[in-house]
Every structure is written in structure tokens, then in C-alpha cells.
């Protein structure tokens, strides 16, 4: 495994310790401390998930166009770090919205260039594992962050300002590490810098169309984590002090499974793992909607949510990165991440309204039904002759010799790509192995 993958994983781990300290208390802070209604919280939660879409394509394009993805990522990490301190004076809806917007814009700017760096230093057959290792370190930070927040609240009741300060300090360490330790690679070395028109062609190409539609459809019916945790807290009536530990349960599950599921995706194809993760999420919503479940079923819900993230987060990046040539990889990754987070923004706002109208249990049940109906449609969109392929795509969009005849893991590899002209992804393997999270 390339050293760069590990270093970027450590940077993400530190950043996630910082961001999850905030994220783990934000739903309760906004609804109980600030006094936001659920519709307003739905807007803020959607903003938290979706506003990064505004700069994902910009970040991907800047990294591809200027061939310096590291420094684009550094700018994103720096913006997010600065936003932590800005939480201290923010108390109203407008100011909190502004701070969260800055934080998520930073995330949007850094994500695609960082993933492009990982894809650039990794052998094609190891992509699922590389992204799994990165996401494992990322999720280790996501598990530590809520524990730190819990410890701060235990020592200083209602000590939200203390959480913001500690979060800022950890984020600054992460920024220093990427600046000083991560190599400044040129991911498009040896290729012509793509023009904006060529990058747009990649993002709307036939090979990406199905995956982008599938990500949009699934994202529209994916409930924000904060809503699910608030639903569990209200159903089971545990003290607010324990709220940050809900994130720990999910992240531990993710931490244990990110690498194994990445390896599985490399072996059997990324789409089956990606779709399987959404099936698990449907089950998680059904368990979370039980009228009276107790601690054991709450833990099961958290573990199922972690399985979902392990099966979809790094797997999506691994899948999309093989559909596009190296010189435009950041833009292609940004396109997939953008449609996913925009769909989740719409989902969060709609779920907040739905919760207000029918209550958390019926809202979760409806989300489970809609997501369950979307899964087979997404599976159909992700099927194709490139199932599970790990053959590298040439920088100009051409397949290596013999790529149209060999098989790997029982699935046919990609058909030969067309040659000549501008870079294209029409000959790339189709997405039979696909979120900002996304992202979480």
C-alpha cells in the first residue's frame, strides 16, 4: 500500500476527530440548546450534507486542470479548520448556517482532489483496498471524535464552546500534516491538461450517466444520520449526555468492515457491494422504526448503519475512478459525489417536514419503503459488461490490449475503447462496482 494513502488517511483521521466532535453534538445542540424546530434542523442537516456539492466539481476541476491536487485539498482542509472557531459566537440560525456552509465548502473542495491522489498512487486491482484503508483511518477518527466530545461534556456540562476549541486544535494538526508530509504529486503527469469542455464531457458521458442517476435515486431516500439518532434518542429516552456515543457505535462497525468490504468489492465487483449496503440500510431503518426496542435494538441499528457506510463510502470512489481517464479523474469523482450530496440535501429537508407531519416512526418506515423500491432500479442502472473490472483505463480513454476478451472474478472486463479525439470514458468499464458518503 502506497505511503501517500496512509498519510492521507492520517490527515483524514485527524480532520474527522475534529469534525465528528462537532457533528456528534450538533443535532442535540441545535434542537435542545439553540431551540431549532425539526424543519429548521432538517434544513441545516441538509446543508451539512449537501452544501459541499457547490465546490466538489470546482475542487475536482482545479486539481485536474492545474495538476496540483494536494494544494487544492490543503485549501479545503484549512477552510474547515477555521470554521471550528467560528462556532463559538454563532447562536442563531443565520450564523450557524454560515459556519456550517464554510465547513462543508471546505470538505467539498478537498474531497475529489484527495481521492484523485489516492487513485493515482494505487494499482487498479488494489483500489478497493486502498480506499478501504483510507476510510478505515478516516473512520477511526470519526470514532474517536465523539468520545472526545463525550469526555468534554462529562467534564464540563453544556461545555459546547470547549468542544469547538478542542476541535479547532485537532484540525490545525491535520492541516500541518498534509502540508508537511504528503507528497506534491502531479496526477496528470505525461498527459495533456484537459480543457473545461473535455471535463464536462467526462462528467456527462454515457459511462457515468447510469451511476450518477443511481446515486441520485438512492441519495433521495437516504435519511440523515442526525435524524436517525434523534429518533433513537426520543424512542429510548436515554440522557442527552450519551448522545455522542451513538456515532461511536456506527463508526466502530464501519471501522471493522471498511477494509474487508473493500477487498470484497475488488473480488466480486463494486456494484454488488454498493447495492448490498443500501439493502442493509433499509433493514436499519425498519429496526430504527420499531415502536419500543430498548438498548439491544438501538445497538443493532447503529451497527447496520456502519455496515452501510463501509459498503458504500470508499466503494463508490473505487468504482467511479475506474470509469474515467487519469487526467480527468478528479472531475469524475466530483460529479458522482456532487449528485449524491445534492440528493441527500433534498432528502434531509423533506424528512424534516415529514417528521413534523407524521412523526419519526412513520417517517422512517416511509423512507425504508421508498429506498427499498429504489434499490432494484439502481441495481439495473449499475449493471453492464464491465462488472467488477479492475483493468486500468488509459489516460486517453483507451483500454489495454485484450481488455475486451479477458475475465476477472467471473465477470467480463471492459470492451475495447474507441481511440482518437478528446479524452473519453465511452470505452471504460461500466459501473458494476460503485457516497460523501459521502460523507459523511
Amino acid at each position: 500500500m502506497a505511503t501517500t494513502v496512509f498519510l492521507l488517511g492520517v490527515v483524514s483521521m485527524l480532520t474527522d476527530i475534529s469534525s465528528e466532535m462537532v457533528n456528534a453534538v450538533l443535532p442535540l445542540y441545535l434542537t435542545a440548546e439553540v431551540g431549532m424546530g425539526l424543519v429548521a434542523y432538517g434544513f441545516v442537516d441538509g446543508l451539512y450534507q449537501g452544501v459541499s456539492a457547490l465546490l466538489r466539481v470546482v475542487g475536482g476541476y482545479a486539481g485536474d486542470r492545474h495538476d496540483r491536487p494536494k494544494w487544492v485539498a490543503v485549501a479545503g482542509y484549512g477552510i474547515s479548520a477555521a470554521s471550528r472557531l467560528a462556532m463559538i459566537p454563532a447562536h442563531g440560525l443565520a450564523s450557524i448556517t454560515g459556519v456550517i456552509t464554510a465547513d462543508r465548502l471546505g470538505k467539498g473542495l478537498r474531497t475529489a482532489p484527495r481521492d484523485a491522489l489516492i487513485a493515482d498512487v494505487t494499482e487498479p486491482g488494489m483500489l478497493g483496498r486502498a480506499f478501504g484503508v483510507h476510510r478505515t483511518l478516516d473512520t477511526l477518527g470519526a470514532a474517536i471524535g465523539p468520545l472526545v466530545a463525550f469526555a468534554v461534556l462529562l467534564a464540563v456540562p453544556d461545555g459546547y464552546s470547549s468542544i469547538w476549541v478542542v476541535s479547532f486544535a485537532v484540525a490545525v494538526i491535520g492541516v500541518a500534516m498534509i502540508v508537511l508530509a504528503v507528497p506534491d504529486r502531479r496526477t496528470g503527469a505525461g498527459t495533456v491538461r484537459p480543457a473545461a469542455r473535455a471535463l464536462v464531457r467526462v462528467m456527462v458521458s454515457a459511462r457515468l450517466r447510469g451511476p450518477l442517476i443511481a446515486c441520485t435515486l438512492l441519495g433521495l431516500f437516504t435519511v440523515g444520520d442526525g435524524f436517525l439518532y434523534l429518533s433513537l434518542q426520543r424512542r429510548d429516552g436515554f440522557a442527552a449526555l450519551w448522545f455522542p456515543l451513538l456515532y461511536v457505535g456506527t463508526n466502530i462497525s464501519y471501522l471493522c468492515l471498511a477494509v474487508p468490504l473493500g477487498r470484497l468489492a475488488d473480488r466480486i465487483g463494486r456494484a454488488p457491494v454498493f447495492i448490498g449496503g443500501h439493502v442493509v440500510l433499509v433493514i436499519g431503518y425498519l429496526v430504527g422504526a420499531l415502536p419500543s426496542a430498548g438498548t439491544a435494538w438501538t445497538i443493532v441499528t447503529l451497527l447496520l448503519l456502519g455496515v452501510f457506510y463501509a459498503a458504500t463510502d470508499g466503494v463508490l470512489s473505487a468504482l467511479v475512478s475506474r470509469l474515467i481517464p487519469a487526467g480527468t479523474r478528479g472531475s469524475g469523482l466530483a460529479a458522482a459525489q456532487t449528485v449524491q450530496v445534492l440528493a441527500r440535501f433534498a432528502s434531509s429537508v423533506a424528512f424534516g417536514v415529514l417528521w413534523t407531519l407524521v412523526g419519526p416512526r412513520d417517517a422512517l418506515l416511509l423512507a425504508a419503503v421508498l429506498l427499498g423500491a429504489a434499490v432494484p432500479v439502481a441495481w439495473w442502472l449499475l449493471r453492464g459488461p464491465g462488472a467488477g473490472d479492475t483493468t486500468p483505463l488509459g489516460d486517453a480513454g483507451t483500454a489495454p490490449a485484450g481488455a475486451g476478451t479477458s475475465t476477472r472474478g467471473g465477470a467480463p472486463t471492459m470492451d475495447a475503447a474507441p481511440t482518437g479525439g478528446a479524452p473519453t470514458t465511452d470505452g471504460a468499464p461500466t459501473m458494476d462496482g460503485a457516497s460523501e458518503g459521502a460523507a459523511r
Side-chain angles (χ1 to χ4, degrees):
M1 193 65 63
T3 303
T4 298
V5 175
F6 176 77
L7 290 172
L8 287 170
V10 174
V11 171
S12 291
M13 180 185 72
L14 291 167
T15 302
D16 251 34
I17 291 173
S18 170
S19 63
E20 290 302 312
M21 286 181 65
V22 176
N23 194 32
V25 299
L26 196 60
L28 206 60
Y29 173 71
L30 295 179
T31 57
E33 187 79 9
V34 178
M36 278 188 186
L38 288 169
V39 175
Y41 170 69
F43 174 77
V44 173
D45 183 66
L47 199 68
Y48 190 86
Q49 298 193 56
V51 76
S52 62
L54 297 174
L55 278 187
R56 284 183 187 243
V57 172
V58 174
Y61 172 74
D64 289 338
R65 180 66 178 149
H66 301 290
D67 201 18
R68 305 301 285 266
K70 168 184 168 175
W71 295 107
V72 178
V74 167
Y77 282 112
I79 292 170
S80 292
S83 73
R84 305 288 187 255
L85 277 185
M87 280 294 292
I88 295 176
H91 295 290
L93 176 61
S95 57
I96 290 173
T97 297
V99 172
I100 289 175
T101 298
D103 174 42
R104 295 296 91 184
L105 288 176
K107 179 175 176 59
L109 192 62
R110 70 181 181 251
T111 300
R114 181 204 63 207
D115 285 356
L117 279 170
I118 293 172
D120 186 64
V121 300
T122 305
E123 292 296 325
M126 298 283 287
L127 273 172
R129 192 172 306 180
F131 279 107
V133 168
H134 174 268
R135 298 303 191 257
T136 296
L137 290 167
D138 181 270
T139 307
L140 179 61
I144 294 172
L147 289 174
V148 177
F150 173 74
V152 172
L153 289 179
L154 196 62
V156 186
D158 298 324
Y160 293 105
S161 294
S162 300
I163 290 176
W164 314 149
V165 172
V166 175
S167 172
F168 170 73
V170 176
V172 168
I173 297 173
V175 173
M177 185 164 187
I178 190 172
V179 170
L180 300 175
V182 174
D184 183 18
R185 289 182 61 89
R186 293 182 175 270
T187 56
T191 64
V192 178
R193 291 185 181 181
R197 185 177 300 175
L199 293 175
V200 171
R201 280 202 298 269
V202 168
M203 290 186 282
V204 299
S205 65
R207 289 294 183 174
L208 280 182
R209 194 173 301 134
L212 294 184
I213 295 172
C215 287
T216 301
L217 185 62
L218 294 171
L220 283 172
F221 306 121
T222 300
V223 178
D225 295 353
F227 274 120
L228 183 58
Y229 296 151
L230 284 172
S231 175
L232 295 175
Q233 195 264 342
R234 294 188 180 195
R235 183 190 70 184
D236 297 335
F238 50 82
L241 172 65
W242 302 98
F243 191 85
L245 298 186
L246 295 176
Y247 289 80
V248 178
T250 295
N251 290 329
I252 287 175
S253 175
Y254 183 3
L255 179 63
C256 294
L257 292 174
V259 172
L261 288 178
R263 289 175 178 171
L264 182 65
D266 286 337
R267 254 197 355 256
I268 70 171
R270 288 152 194 153
V273 175
F274 184 76
I275 292 296
H278 285 86
V279 173
V280 170
L281 185 61
V282 171
I283 299 171
Y285 290 165
L286 293 174
V287 175
L290 291 174
S292 181
T295 304
W297 285 109
T298 295
I299 293 173
V300 169
T301 305
L302 301 178
L303 295 179
L304 289 172
L305 186 59
V307 173
F308 159 71
Y309 281 119
T312 58
D313 190 9
V315 173
L316 175 63
S317 296
L319 189 154
V320 174
S321 68
R322 302 319 306 155
L323 299 176
I324 42 185
T328 56
R329 188 168 288 146
S331 299
L333 286 166
Q337 294 159 357
T338 295
V339 298
Q340 188 178 57
V341 296
L342 283 176
R344 290 186 179 179
F345 172 80
S347 173
S348 287
V349 174
F351 193 82
V353 174
L354 191 61
W355 179 318
T356 302
L357 294 176
V358 302
R361 180 173 177 269
D362 289 345
L364 274 177
L365 287 174
L366 181 58
V369 170
L370 293 174
L371 182 59
V375 162
V377 179
W379 169 249
W380 178 78
L381 288 167
L382 297 180
R383 294 181 62 193
D389 180 56
T390 57
T391 307
L393 181 66
D395 289 342
T398 57
T405 58
S406 65
T407 60
R408 182 164 301 156
T413 57
M414 64 185 176
D415 298 329
T419 56
T424 175
T425 60
D426 290 345
T430 54
M431 184 174 185
D432 213 41
S435 92
E436 165 85 329
R440 227 169 10 136

Short mmCIF file of all heavy atoms in Angstrom, two decimals, residues 231-232 234-237 286-298 361:
data_model
loop_
_atom_site.label_atom_id
_atom_site.label_comp_id
_atom_site.label_asym_id
_atom_site.label_seq_id
_atom_site.Cartn_x
_atom_site.Cartn_y
_atom_site.Cartn_z
N SER A 231 -34.21 10.18 16.49
CA SER A 231 -35.34 9.27 16.60
C SER A 231 -35.08 8.19 17.65
O SER A 231 -35.93 7.88 18.49
CB SER A 231 -35.62 8.61 15.25
OG SER A 231 -36.63 7.64 15.34
N LEU A 232 -33.86 7.63 17.66
CA LEU A 232 -33.50 6.62 18.65
C LEU A 232 -33.48 7.20 20.05
O LEU A 232 -33.94 6.58 21.01
CB LEU A 232 -32.12 6.02 18.31
CG LEU A 232 -32.02 5.22 17.00
CD1 LEU A 232 -30.57 4.82 16.74
CD2 LEU A 232 -32.91 3.99 17.04
N ARG A 234 -35.16 9.78 21.23
CA ARG A 234 -36.52 10.07 21.71
C ARG A 234 -37.29 8.79 21.99
O ARG A 234 -38.09 8.73 22.93
CB ARG A 234 -37.25 10.92 20.68
CG ARG A 234 -36.61 12.30 20.53
CD ARG A 234 -37.45 13.23 19.67
NE ARG A 234 -36.78 14.53 19.56
CZ ARG A 234 -37.38 15.63 19.12
NH1 ARG A 234 -38.67 15.59 18.77
NH2 ARG A 234 -36.73 16.77 19.04
N ARG A 235 -37.05 7.75 21.21
CA ARG A 235 -37.77 6.50 21.43
C ARG A 235 -37.33 5.82 22.72
O ARG A 235 -38.14 5.34 23.50
CB ARG A 235 -37.53 5.55 20.23
CG ARG A 235 -38.30 4.23 20.33
CD ARG A 235 -37.85 3.25 19.27
NE ARG A 235 -36.50 2.76 19.54
CZ ARG A 235 -35.83 1.94 18.72
NH1 ARG A 235 -36.39 1.57 17.57
NH2 ARG A 235 -34.62 1.53 19.02
N ASP A 236 -36.02 5.78 22.94
CA ASP A 236 -35.49 5.03 24.08
C ASP A 236 -35.26 5.90 25.31
O ASP A 236 -34.99 5.38 26.40
CB ASP A 236 -34.18 4.34 23.69
CG ASP A 236 -34.39 3.30 22.59
OD1 ASP A 236 -35.53 2.79 22.47
OD2 ASP A 236 -33.44 3.01 21.85
N GLY A 237 -35.32 7.22 25.15
CA GLY A 237 -35.31 8.11 26.30
C GLY A 237 -34.01 8.16 27.09
O GLY A 237 -34.02 8.46 28.28
N LEU A 286 -35.88 -0.01 9.24
CA LEU A 286 -37.01 -0.78 9.79
C LEU A 286 -36.79 -1.08 11.27
O LEU A 286 -37.72 -0.98 12.08
CB LEU A 286 -37.17 -2.08 8.99
CG LEU A 286 -37.63 -1.92 7.53
CD1 LEU A 286 -37.61 -3.26 6.82
CD2 LEU A 286 -39.01 -1.29 7.47
N VAL A 287 -35.55 -1.42 11.64
CA VAL A 287 -35.25 -1.68 13.05
C VAL A 287 -35.37 -0.39 13.86
O VAL A 287 -35.91 -0.37 14.97
CB VAL A 287 -33.84 -2.29 13.21
CG1 VAL A 287 -33.48 -2.44 14.69
CG2 VAL A 287 -33.76 -3.64 12.52
N GLY A 288 -34.89 0.72 13.29
CA GLY A 288 -34.97 2.00 13.98
C GLY A 288 -36.40 2.49 14.16
O GLY A 288 -36.67 3.29 15.05
N ALA A 289 -37.32 1.99 13.32
CA ALA A 289 -38.71 2.41 13.41
C ALA A 289 -39.54 1.54 14.35
O ALA A 289 -40.74 1.79 14.51
CB ALA A 289 -39.34 2.38 12.02
N LEU A 290 -38.93 0.54 14.97
CA LEU A 290 -39.68 -0.28 15.92
C LEU A 290 -40.24 0.61 17.03
O LEU A 290 -39.55 1.51 17.52
CB LEU A 290 -38.78 -1.36 16.53
CG LEU A 290 -38.32 -2.48 15.58
CD1 LEU A 290 -37.32 -3.38 16.28
CD2 LEU A 290 -39.50 -3.28 15.07
N PRO A 291 -41.48 0.38 17.44
CA PRO A 291 -42.12 1.29 18.41
C PRO A 291 -41.44 1.33 19.77
O PRO A 291 -41.36 2.38 20.40
CB PRO A 291 -43.55 0.75 18.52
CG PRO A 291 -43.47 -0.66 18.05
CD PRO A 291 -42.40 -0.70 17.02
N SER A 292 -40.96 0.20 20.25
CA SER A 292 -40.28 0.16 21.55
C SER A 292 -39.27 -0.97 21.52
O SER A 292 -39.64 -2.15 21.53
CB SER A 292 -41.29 -0.06 22.69
OG SER A 292 -40.62 -0.08 23.93
N ALA A 293 -38.00 -0.63 21.44
CA ALA A 293 -37.00 -1.65 21.17
C ALA A 293 -36.00 -1.86 22.30
O ALA A 293 -35.59 -2.98 22.56
CB ALA A 293 -36.24 -1.32 19.88
N GLY A 294 -35.56 -0.81 22.96
CA GLY A 294 -34.56 -0.95 24.00
C GLY A 294 -33.14 -0.86 23.47
O GLY A 294 -32.90 -0.73 22.26
N THR A 295 -32.19 -1.00 24.38
CA THR A 295 -30.77 -0.78 24.06
C THR A 295 -30.25 -1.73 23.01
O THR A 295 -29.51 -1.33 22.10
CB THR A 295 -29.94 -0.91 25.34
OG1 THR A 295 -30.42 0.00 26.33
CG2 THR A 295 -28.48 -0.61 25.06
N ALA A 296 -30.61 -3.01 23.09
CA ALA A 296 -30.06 -4.01 22.17
C ALA A 296 -30.40 -3.66 20.71
O ALA A 296 -29.53 -3.69 19.83
CB ALA A 296 -30.59 -5.40 22.52
N TRP A 297 -31.66 -3.31 20.45
CA TRP A 297 -32.05 -3.00 19.08
C TRP A 297 -31.49 -1.65 18.63
O TRP A 297 -31.24 -1.45 17.43
CB TRP A 297 -33.57 -3.01 18.96
CG TRP A 297 -34.12 -4.41 18.95
CD1 TRP A 297 -34.83 -5.01 19.94
CD2 TRP A 297 -33.98 -5.37 17.90
NE1 TRP A 297 -35.15 -6.30 19.57
CE2 TRP A 297 -34.64 -6.55 18.32
CE3 TRP A 297 -33.37 -5.36 16.65
CZ2 TRP A 297 -34.70 -7.70 17.54
CZ3 TRP A 297 -33.42 -6.50 15.86
CH2 TRP A 297 -34.09 -7.65 16.30
N THR A 298 -31.26 -0.75 19.57
CA THR A 298 -30.59 0.51 19.20
C THR A 298 -29.18 0.23 18.72
O THR A 298 -28.72 0.78 17.71
CB THR A 298 -30.55 1.47 20.41
OG1 THR A 298 -31.88 1.86 20.74
CG2 THR A 298 -29.73 2.71 20.10
N ARG A 361 -41.44 7.70 13.62
CA ARG A 361 -41.60 6.28 13.26
C ARG A 361 -42.17 6.11 11.85
O ARG A 361 -41.61 5.39 11.01
CB ARG A 361 -42.50 5.59 14.28
CG ARG A 361 -42.72 4.11 13.98
CD ARG A 361 -43.47 3.42 15.13
NE ARG A 361 -43.72 2.03 14.79
CZ ARG A 361 -44.83 1.60 14.17
NH1 ARG A 361 -45.78 2.47 13.86
NH2 ARG A 361 -44.99 0.32 13.88
#
